[in-house]
Structures are given as structure tokens and as C-alpha cells.
């Protein structure tokens, strides 16, 4: 697995330092509120679990799952697999957490879906932000790192279902992309 990585963008140490700073910002915004962290599966499960453990105020957790079938590195049509229960959405202040904000289609669709089902407020928090690829007007309320237009894996982010368990974020060697059809979530 490690030998498929061309270079490391963020080490484990960089990641935890970055998350600590964002966790402090999130804490100040939600202090005193009743609120829920909604992790977008599968990609954000590792980020969400490191984030919530650095937030020292009460919160609840819920999960949504969405995936797009693309060619492995480019997005296709988005499918929402499941949403939180009605009582976890209606009248709730939600912080939607995802691994990366790329074109913005995933967060845009999920945010609208949760608002149309009665959420009071939906803010967004992403581990990585790739603003150069944005197709929709959507800026994250919180983000840990900005990245340039380069396909990255690790720390929850996959290529063809693999590499999510890398403890750092890295760019794959171009040779790995050859002849691979992938599913992304
Ligand atoms: P968006 O809907 O914003 O275009 O894309 C969001 C989803 O695409 C992310 O949740 C992630 O699954 C996938 N994605 C976008 N860019 C990358 C990337 O550089 N690496 C990986 N592994 N997935 C990405
Ligand atoms: Mg994802």
C-alpha cells in the first residue's frame, strides 16, 4: 500500500494538529447548543471520529451514506444510500462532516436533502477543500486543509475502495490509476 504513494501531503502529525485547530473553532460556534455531527460515510468516518474526540462539549452523532460511481478519480451521479432518522433531522442543528469538498455536488445535495426534511440549520465541515474544482457555489463553514487539483488518498479517502486506512494523506502514483474502475464514497 505505502509503495503506491508518490508523495505525502499531510502526515499524521499535521493532520491531528489541523484537526485540533478546527475542533476549537467548532466548539466555540456550538457551545451551549443542542447539535449533531452528521458524518458522511464512508469517507469521513476517520476524520469525524478524530474531530469529535477533540470537541469537549456535548454533541450527538448521526450518519448519512452517499456514493458516486465515477471512473475512480472523477465523480459520476450521486446516490444517497441512507439518511439519519426523522427525529435526528427535524428541528435539529446539524454539522455535516465530509472527507473532501471537490465539485461540491455531494455536500450541496445532502445539505438540501436535510433542510428539506426539516433540519433547522446545516453547516458544513470538511477535512480537505479543493476549491479549484468547484462546480456549485458552496464554501465550507469549517475546513482543515486546502488542496490543489490532485487526486489524494488516505485518512478515509479511497481509490477503488482501497487506501482509506493509510494514516496520512498522499497522492497516488499515476501507474496505480491505469486500468482501474472505481466506486467512490
Ligand atoms: P464532490 O461531490 O464534492 O465532487 O465530491 C465529493 C466526494 O468525491 C468526496 O466525498 C470523495 O469521496 C470524492 N473525492 C473527491 N475528490 C477526491 C480525491 O482527491 N480523492 C478521493 N479519494 N476522493 C475524492
Ligand atoms: Mg466521500
Amino acid at each position: 500500500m505505502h509503495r503506491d504513494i508518490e508523495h505525502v501531503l499531510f502526515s499524521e502529525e499535521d493532520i491531528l494538529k489541523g484537526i485540533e485547530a478546527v475542533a476549537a473553532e467548532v466548539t466555540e460556534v456550538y457551545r451551549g447548543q443542542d447539535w449533531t455531527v452528521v458524518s458522511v460515510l464512508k469517507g469521513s468516518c476517520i476524520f469525524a471520529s478524530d474531530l469529535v474526540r477533540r470537541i469537549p462539549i456535548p454533541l450527538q452523532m448521526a450518519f448519512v451514506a452517499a456514493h458516486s460511481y465515477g471512473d475512480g478519480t472523477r465523480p459520476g451521479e450521486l446516490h444517497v444510500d441512507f439518511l439519519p432518522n426523522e427525529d435526528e433531522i427535524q428541528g435539529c442543528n446539524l454539522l455535516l462532516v465530509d472527507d473532501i469538498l471537490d465539485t461540491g455536488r455531494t455536500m450541496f445535495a445532502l445539505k438540501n436533502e436535510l433542510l428539506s426534511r426539516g433540519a433547522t440549520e446545516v453547516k458544513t465541515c470538511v477535512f480537505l477543500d479543493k476549491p479549484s474544482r468547484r462546480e456549485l457555489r458552496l464554501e465550507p463553514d469549517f475546513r482543515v486543509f486546502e488542496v490543489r487539483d490532485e487526486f489524494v488518498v488516505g485518512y478515509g479517502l479511497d481509490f477503488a475502495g482501497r487506501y482509506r486506512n493509510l494514516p496520512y494523506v498522499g497522492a497516488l502514483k499515476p501507474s496505480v490509476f491505469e486500468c482501474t474502475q472505481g466506486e467512490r464514497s
Side-chain angles (χ1 to χ4, degrees):
M1 195 170 58
H2 297 282
R3 65 173 181 223
D4 293 345
I5 301 300
E6 192 168 61
H7 57 271
V8 173
L9 276 89
F10 305 108
S11 67
E12 273 189 271
E13 200 190 346
D14 298 335
I15 292 172
L16 293 179
K17 233 191 245 167
I19 291 178
E20 250 161 48
V22 169
E25 281 176 47
V26 171
T27 302
E28 288 323 305
V29 169
Y30 286 98
R31 194 181 288 286
Q33 289 195 45
D34 197 2
W35 65 296
T36 303
V37 171
V38 181
S39 159
V40 182
L41 298 175
K42 303 170 191 167
S44 84
C45 68
I46 293 172
F47 171 45
S49 61
D50 276 337
L51 179 71
V52 295
R53 284 180 296 169
R54 285 162 183 81
I55 296 177
I57 57 170
L59 59 80
Q60 296 184 62
M61 288 190 79
F63 300 90
V64 299
H67 70 269
S68 59
Y69 288 105
D71 63 1
T73 63
R74 298 282 148 184
E77 198 189 332
L78 183 77
H79 299 265
V80 176
D81 301 315
F82 62 81
L83 287 160
N85 297 328
E86 252 177 43
D87 65 332
E88 293 173 307
I89 301 176
Q90 285 177 5
C92 297
N93 297 315
L94 307 179
L95 179 64
L96 195 53
V97 173
D98 206 359
D99 52 0
I100 186 165
L101 190 63
D102 186 36
T103 64
R105 289 194 235 165
T106 306
M107 286 299 243
F108 190 81
L110 290 175
K111 185 173 174 173
N112 287 339
E113 186 69 33
L114 293 165
L115 286 169
S116 76
R117 288 172 182 262
T120 301
E121 180 194 74
V122 180
K123 289 194 196 290
T124 54
C125 175
V126 294
F127 173 57
L128 301 178
D129 185 14
K130 216 191 253 184
S132 58
R133 296 239 318 144
R134 204 82 86 248
E135 290 172 9
L136 297 164
R137 270 172 165 272
L138 182 73
E139 292 313 311
D141 295 292
F142 307 95
R143 67 147 179 245
V144 181
F145 300 117
E146 187 173 312
V147 287
R148 61 187 181 86
D149 186 5
E150 168 177 53
F151 191 79
V152 297
V153 295
Y155 197 70
L157 291 134
D158 73 308
F159 173 64
R162 303 224 169 92
Y163 307 102
R164 294 191 198 277
N165 55 322
L166 283 176
Y168 53 82
V169 173
L172 278 176
K173 287 181 183 161
S175 57
V176 180
F177 295 127
E178 282 155 26
C179 314
T180 315
Q181 283 281 93
E183 178 189 336
R184 312 193 316 167
S185 60

